[in-house]
Amino acid sequence: EAGVAQSPRYKIIEKRQSVAFWCNPISGHATLYWYQQILGQGPKLLIQFQNNGVVDDSQLPKDRFSAERLKGVDSTLKIQPAKLEDSAVYLCATRGGNTIYFGEGSWLTVV
Amino acid sequence: AQTVTQSQPEMSVQEAETVTLSCTYDTSESDYYLFWYKQPPSRQMILVIRQEAYKQQNATENRFSVNFQKAAKSFSLKISDSQLGDAAMYFCAYLGYGGSQGNLIFGKGTKLSVKP
């Protein structure tokens, strides 16, 4: 069974530029999450989807972050404009039964 | 709101010996799941072990086992016969039982070093 796929793995951008991350979940997993993990901290939930609907986006900085899952499968997370404090690993995860599986993450460095 | 606390920022163990990582949590729910994830420098979260709160028996996975104390809201991870490849960040995480609506709540992590 293929795992959660994320791309790109690494991205370096200047502040005020934009960036987009893509996630392809494990087949059949309806629940998809985006987490932000700043160095030295545990992951923090940004947004949770159930199929193509948003379940929880209370911690998403909506002035600069957006996410969508139009067909209930792939998802994209966009940051525009990026700030220095957005430097982090962005983890996509999907839920199968009562276990959550993670992708390899997308490392973002904002300079 | 649920919280997860890992009080040991760093731990060290000698190769082949045993180490225990601590985790406590706070919740008003009676049914939930607890996890330990391993995160190597590549930053991918790898599931180590899972415990259902309704099960009294402690989960085990090869060299990894947990001590789940529901009343005390404690969930520690024991690694036996430690190997160099066990060196990583370890995160304790809580998942509520609310069907598909729940999401993982993480502790701050414990960095485990393994000495040869």
Side-chain angles (χ1 to χ4, degrees):
Chain A
E1 180 182 78
V4 178
Q6 289 189 246
S7 66
R9 290 295 319 279
Y10 305 95
K11 193 75 175 178
I12 301 174
I13 62 172
E14 295 182 351
K15 59 184 179 184
R16 291 186 291 274
Q17 286 188 326
S18 63
V19 63
F21 301 113
W22 172 82
C23 174
N24 181 242
I26 295 172
S27 177
H29 286 193
T31 306
L32 184 147
Y33 312 85
W34 283 101
Y35 285 85
Q36 179 194 57
Q37 186 181 19
I38 293 171
L39 187 65
Q41 299 181 17
K44 180 188 80 171
L45 180 71
L46 290 176
I47 189 167
Q48 177 184 347
F49 292 96
Q50 178 70 14
N51 295 309
N52 61 350
V54 175
V55 174
D56 183 354
D57 64 355
S58 57
Q59 298 189 82
L60 186 74
K62 298 180 185 64
D63 58 334
R64 297 184 300 104
F65 287 66
S66 65
E68 61 183 14
R69 193 183 184 201
L70 291 176
K71 296 183 179 179
V73 181
D74 294 5
S75 178
T76 56
L77 175 70
K78 297 179 181 177
I79 308 173
Q80 181 178 17
K83 292 185 175 182
L84 296 177
E85 58 260 37
D86 298 332
S87 294
V89 176
Y90 291 87
L91 296 163
C92 179
T94 62
R95 181 168 179 168
N98 292 310
T99 300
I100 295 178
Y101 302 91
F102 287 82
E104 292 182 310
S106 293
W107 295 58
L108 174 65
T109 302
V110 183
V111 298
Chain B
Q2 294 81 17
T3 59
V4 176
T5 302
Q6 293 179 250
S7 59
Q8 306 155 316
E10 296 188 24
M11 291 284 285
S12 181
V13 63
Q14 205 72 30
E15 193 176 8
E17 296 193 341
T18 296
V19 65
T20 298
L21 307 184
S22 300
C23 173
T24 59
Y25 59 94
D26 189 27
T27 183
S28 58
E29 298 177 327
S30 58
D31 290 322
Y32 47 86
Y33 303 88
L34 296 165
F35 303 84
W36 280 97
Y37 281 89
K38 172 185 177 181
Q39 189 179 49
S42 68
R43 302 298 283 274
Q44 181 169 14
M45 284 288 188
I46 302 166
L47 177 65
V48 175
I49 200 164
R50 184 183 88 162
Q51 175 79 43
E52 292 91 341
Y54 64 86
K55 289 186 177 179
Q56 293 190 351
Q57 186 174 5
N58 290 322
T60 62
E61 286 289 341
N62 301 313
R63 298 182 295 107
F64 298 87
S65 62
V66 299
N67 184 4
F68 173 50
Q69 301 291 326
K70 189 173 184 179
K73 296 181 182 175
S74 171
F75 183 61
S76 61
L77 174 69
K78 185 172 81 171
I79 306 174
S80 303
D81 185 26
S82 295
Q83 301 175 0
L84 295 177
D86 295 334
M89 284 291 291
Y90 285 82
F91 289 95
C92 178
Y94 171 101
L95 177 66
Y97 194 70
S100 60
Q101 304 297 307
N103 71 85
L104 279 173
I105 298 168
F106 287 88
K108 291 187 176 181
T110 297
K111 183 178 181 180
L112 178 65
S113 302
V114 181
K115 298 178 181 177

